[in-house]
Amino acid sequence: MKILVLNGSPRPNGNTAALIGAFVEGAKANGHDITVVPVCQKKIAGCLACEYCHTKGNRVCVQKDDMQQIYPILDEAEMIVLASPVYYHSFTGQLQCAINRIYALDKPRCLKKAALILSSGSDNVFGGAIYEYENSFLDYLKLENMGIFTAYGNENKSDAKLRELLEFGRSIE
């Protein structure tokens, strides 16, 4: 299966990257084709709401930024993983821009499954991101929820949490 991971962390070696790394290791061991996109290292602007993609553009966004590199991967992906630190009760702004720009495709052609990986320094801050994931992302795109994984504080790079993500990657069919 082709899996796209959108990494919303600005820290290349931070907690979110460690959780993603464990997931990717497990998924690759199970034979999946994984692409991790570090959205914070990309130039991705927010949606302009110009409707070009749905009128004249035929699923092509008028903005010519790094999202153009992600669209073909997204259209071929069968599963997407949204991964983000939670600083202020939701996804990072960079990840939110990438999520909003999926609008240009309306519904990616092959996408069937999704998962969510969130990290934070505090507990009880994940509600906003989980709400958006479940009620906007999953519902609108009609995706199967493969799981929601959260880690806070010392859990972030703990052996137990990394093992949980590794096993999750291995379990995906």
Side-chain angles (χ1 to χ4, degrees), residues 31-170:
H32 297 294
D33 178 9
I34 316 290
T35 302
V36 178
V37 176
V39 297
C40 293
Q41 280 73 53
K42 303 287 185 187
K43 298 280 188 212
I44 300 173
C47 178
L48 298 173
C50 67
E51 289 297 325
Y52 178 86
C53 56
H54 297 271
T55 56
K56 301 175 192 120
N58 192 26
R59 301 179 82 238
V60 175
C61 182
V62 71
Q63 297 185 79
K64 303 305 177 208
D65 58 11
D66 290 342
M67 196 66 192
Q68 297 303 325
Q69 303 161 8
I70 299 169
Y71 284 133
I73 300 165
L74 181 58
D75 236 2
E76 292 181 8
E78 298 159 84
M79 180 175 173
I80 188 169
V81 178
L82 304 178
S84 183
V86 174
Y87 301 134
Y88 201 70
H89 304 282
S90 195
F91 302 120
T92 58
Q94 297 93 325
L95 180 58
Q96 191 64 60
C97 283
I99 291 169
N100 289 350
R101 293 281 298 284
I102 293 172
Y103 179 71
L105 298 180
D106 188 34
K107 296 183 178 162
R109 291 189 169 110
C110 300
L111 207 55
K112 305 274 187 282
K113 300 176 181 185
L116 181 63
I117 299 172
L118 300 172
S119 66
S120 183
S122 302
D123 195 10
N124 299 318
V125 297
F126 302 114
I130 291 171
Y131 181 86
E132 182 176 345
Y133 170 74
E134 290 177 335
N135 295 292
S136 297
F137 200 74
L138 291 178
D139 286 352
Y140 179 73
L141 295 174
K142 307 289 187 240
L143 302 177
E144 178 184 352
N145 182 10
M146 300 302 291
I148 297 171
F149 301 87
T150 62
Y152 72 95
N154 292 332
E155 284 183 340
N156 278 296
K157 291 184 180 176
S158 70
D159 290 341
K161 190 54 74 170
L162 295 176
R163 194 169 34 258
E164 180 183 0
L165 271 296
L166 177 77
E167 290 305 318
F168 170 57
R170 287 183 180 156

